[in-house]
């Protein structure tokens, strides 16, 4: 799964990288420890043009009658996203790209000697380019305006991650961005995008347990440590 990720580019950089229209948007701070319910950027084509918008991480299905008391759903398994009631409408009608610079996973160490310490690891592209997570969106009209939320799709772990965790975000290649965002894409063609990254594309290394704190958000969180 993906429970924490990083995103450090500003809106102008993201609009250029993802070839989105230049529109005024709230500028979020660079965050090296994005936690569920945080405001985050997504890229979609729901308005008929590709654009950047801000939503909350943790999808609340549009049919939820009491969104204030609903549990946000941060991840959706790609294997069942087209069938699960909580996700299928969003998958069919409101897909998005979630920009990221990397993400964290945890591995339980010392199983043989009873030590249950969970060691965080950081993953990013070997060439340091932004990552395009596959996401789905929901929108609910509330008395305070629209509540827009998202979940990140997951798939089996890539080779580099497999000995740390068994799942990872679905990462879309640039050639597949348009297919993922287009309302005309078929379910079967979209399912072809659900696969781990190819070997050699990702780098992974251990980082400080400081990232375990929801309050930590600085660049030091992705500094490599020695185990």
């Amino acid at each position: 799964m993906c429970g924490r990720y990083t995103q450090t580019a500003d809106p102008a950089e993201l609009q250029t990288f993802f070839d989105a229209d230049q529109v005024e948007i709230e500028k979020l701070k660079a965050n090296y420890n994005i936690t569920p319910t945080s405001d985050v950027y997504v890229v979609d084509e729901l308005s008929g043009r590709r654009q950047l918008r801000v939503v909350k991480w943790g999808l609340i299905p549009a049919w939820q009658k009491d969104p204030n008391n609903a549990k946000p759903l941060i991840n959706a398994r790609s294997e069942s996203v087209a069938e699960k009631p909580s996700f299928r409408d969003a998958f069919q009608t409101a897909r998005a790209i979630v920009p990221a610079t990397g993400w964290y996973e945890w591995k339980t160490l010392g199983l043989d000697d009873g030590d249950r310490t969970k060691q965080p690891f950081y993953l990013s592209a070997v060439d340091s380019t932004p990552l395009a997570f596959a996401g789905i969106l929901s929108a609910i009209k509330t008395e305070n305006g629209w509540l827009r939320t998202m979940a990140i799709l997951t798939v089996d772990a890539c080779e580099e991650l497999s000995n740390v965790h068994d799942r990872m975000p679905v990462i879309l290649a640039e050639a597949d961005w348009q297919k993922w965002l287009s309302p005309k894409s078929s379910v079967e063609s979209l399912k072809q995008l659900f696969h781990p990254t190819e070997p050699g594309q990702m780098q992974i290394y251990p980082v400080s347990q400081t990232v375990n704190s929801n309050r930590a958000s600085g660049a030091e969180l992705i500094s490599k440590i020695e185990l």
Side-chain angles (χ1 to χ4, degrees), residues 34-153:
I34 296 174
T35 57
T37 73
S38 296
D39 286 341
V40 297
Y41 294 125
V42 297
V43 178
D44 65 50
E45 292 187 359
L46 300 182
S47 65
R49 58 177 183 166
R50 187 177 297 184
Q51 68 179 73
L52 199 67
R53 74 173 76 235
V54 175
V55 303
K56 288 192 176 296
W57 183 20
L59 186 138
I60 299 175
W63 45 258
Q64 179 61 247
K65 295 182 179 179
D66 186 7
N68 291 325
N69 292 316
K71 180 181 179 181
L73 305 170
I74 66 171
N75 292 153
R77 293 179 67 92
S78 58
E79 297 88 343
S80 58
V81 68
E83 292 81 33
K84 268 195 120 171
S86 294
F87 302 127
R88 63 189 178 197
D89 289 346
F91 171 65
Q92 292 173 2
T93 64
R95 294 179 299 278
I97 289 171
V98 182
T101 44
W103 81 99
Y104 302 95
E105 297 291 359
W106 280 257
K107 179 180 182 179
T108 301
L109 304 178
L111 292 178
D112 294 337
D113 59 14
D115 182 3
R116 304 292 295 181
T117 299
K118 289 189 175 182
Q119 171 61 47
F121 287 78
Y122 183 65
L123 295 97
S124 60
V126 294
D127 60 3
S128 301
T129 56
L131 303 172
F133 294 166
I136 52 177
L137 304 176
S138 176
I140 300 176
K141 185 67 177 294
T142 72
E143 59 183 15
N144 298 318
W146 286 97
L147 172 63
R148 302 183 188 277
T149 59
M150 74 85 177
I152 296 169
L153 272 64

